[in-house]
């Protein structure tokens, strides 16, 4: 029957997903397709806790587990002695979908040793199709086809309450523009002086919020110098789920090729993404209120036009 997996009407699915923030967000359409097709199924995600929390109890996942657990180490050793509790855990799922980089299939073989009914594996490396499509492709093994996948995130009420507290009193009723001048790699960063131009322009009509993560300190320092004497607020130290809810309330977001940019798109924030020459178009975010600008000649003017477009869309 169409609603059954292996004769079970309420199947158990496990998605194994390492990688960074953007990698995980681009995998959400695949997880969401399973949720939509089998709404009564039990779905769990094995991954990095601070990232997969975005999905835990927020439509996609009923539970999560850390991929950093010490007992999991033996699953990456050929013929390793497997933890009995984890053997039972993996064996309890009808379907396991793994996006781990596993060229020698060591992890896959150990998962099969647990008695998993169906294991679906896929390379985490995106080389041909747009990222979200790439991660949905393995589900064709379940006769599940996803047309135009679009990542979406659904902050919880607790997340939204945290965002409300964080933003309380800021802006005096003005709209809030958010920028993220950093990324996971310096070569992906738009020059600080250009970000400064856009920030000064945005501050004429909005209150400015600047995101700074652990890898963004240098980009942040440069921006502070450029904006000397201008008032803005930092977004630092927020959990990802809280930052997602803050972004959901923004009037516009401008950022580099980064996981935070994908986060902004996934919560529906009007977004302008700035991609450099070393960034793959396969990772371009898409959406009615999303524009991608390539670094180069006249890119400041292009970003300004793109901001106007996404705000008006």
């Amino acid at each position: 029957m169409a609603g059954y997996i292996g004769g079970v009407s309420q199947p158990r699915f496990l998605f194994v997903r390492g990688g960074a923030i953007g990698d995980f967000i681009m995998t959400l359409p695949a997880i969401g397709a399973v949720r939509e097709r089998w709404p009564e199924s039990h779905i769990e995600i094995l991954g990095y806790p601070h990232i997969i929390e975005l999905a835990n109890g927020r439509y996609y996942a009923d539970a999560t587990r850390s991929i950093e657990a010490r007992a999991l180490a033996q699953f990456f050793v050929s013929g390793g002695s497997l933890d009995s509790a984890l053997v039972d855990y993996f064996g309890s799922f009808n379907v396991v979908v793994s996006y781990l980089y596993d060229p020698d299939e060591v992890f896959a073989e150990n998962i099969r040793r647990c008695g998993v009914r169906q294991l679906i594996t896929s390379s985490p490396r995106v080389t041909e199709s747009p990222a979200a499509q790439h991660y949905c492709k393995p589900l064709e093994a379940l006769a599940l086809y996803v047309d135009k996948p679009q990542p979406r995130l659904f902050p919880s009420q607790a997340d939204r309450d945290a965002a409300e507290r964080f933003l309380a009193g800021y802006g005096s009723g003005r709209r809030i523009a958010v920028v993220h001048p950093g990324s996971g790699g310096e070569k992906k960063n738009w020059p600080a002086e250009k970000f400064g131009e856009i920030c000064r322009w945005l501050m004429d009509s909005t209150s400015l919020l600047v995101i700074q993560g652990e890898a963004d300190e240098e980009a942040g320092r440069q921006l502070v110098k450029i904006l000397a004497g201008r008032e803005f607020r930092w977004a630092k130290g927020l959990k990802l789920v809280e930052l997602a809810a803050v972004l959901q309330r923004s009037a516009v977001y401008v950022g580099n090729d980064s996981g935070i940019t994908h986060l902004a798109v996934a919560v529906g924030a009007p977004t302008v993404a700035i991609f450099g020459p070393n960034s793959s178009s396969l990772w371009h975010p898409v959406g009615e209120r999303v524009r991608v600008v390539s670094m180069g000649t006249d890119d400041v003017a292009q970003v300004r036009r793109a901001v106007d477009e996404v705000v008006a869309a």
Side-chain angles (χ1 to χ4, degrees), residues 6 18 39 69 79 84 89 105 147 154 159 163 165 197 236 253 269 276 278 308:
S84 60
Y89 172 73
E105 298 193 358
D147 183 40
F154 307 98
D159 303 333
R165 292 191 295 271
E197 286 188 57
K236 300 180 181 179
Y253 166 91
N278 296 318
D308 288 337

Side-chain angles (χ1 to χ4, degrees), residues 17 107 166 181 183 277 294 307:
R17 189 62 172 110
F107 180 79
F166 176 76
S183 71
S294 297
V307 167

Side-chain angles (χ1 to χ4, degrees), residues 210-284:
V210 180
I211 297 172
Q212 181 174 307
E214 294 179 359
D216 305 329
E217 292 185 4
E218 180 56 32
R221 278 194 292 267
Q222 292 181 44
L223 193 60
V224 166
K225 293 179 181 178
I226 294 167
L227 297 180
R230 301 294 297 269
E231 181 182 355
F232 67 92
R233 185 170 181 178
W234 289 106
K236 300 180 181 179
L238 293 172
K239 297 167 62 177
L240 275 179
V241 290
E242 296 169 346
L243 180 57
V246 169
L247 288 168
Q248 194 173 48
R249 295 185 50 176
S250 65
V252 67
Y253 166 91
V254 180
N256 297 304
D257 171 13
S258 72
I260 302 304
T261 294
H262 289 295
L263 187 71
V265 174
V267 296
T271 296
V272 177
I274 306 164
F275 272 57
N278 296 318
S279 298
S280 170
S281 62
L282 299 180
W283 286 91
H284 281 187

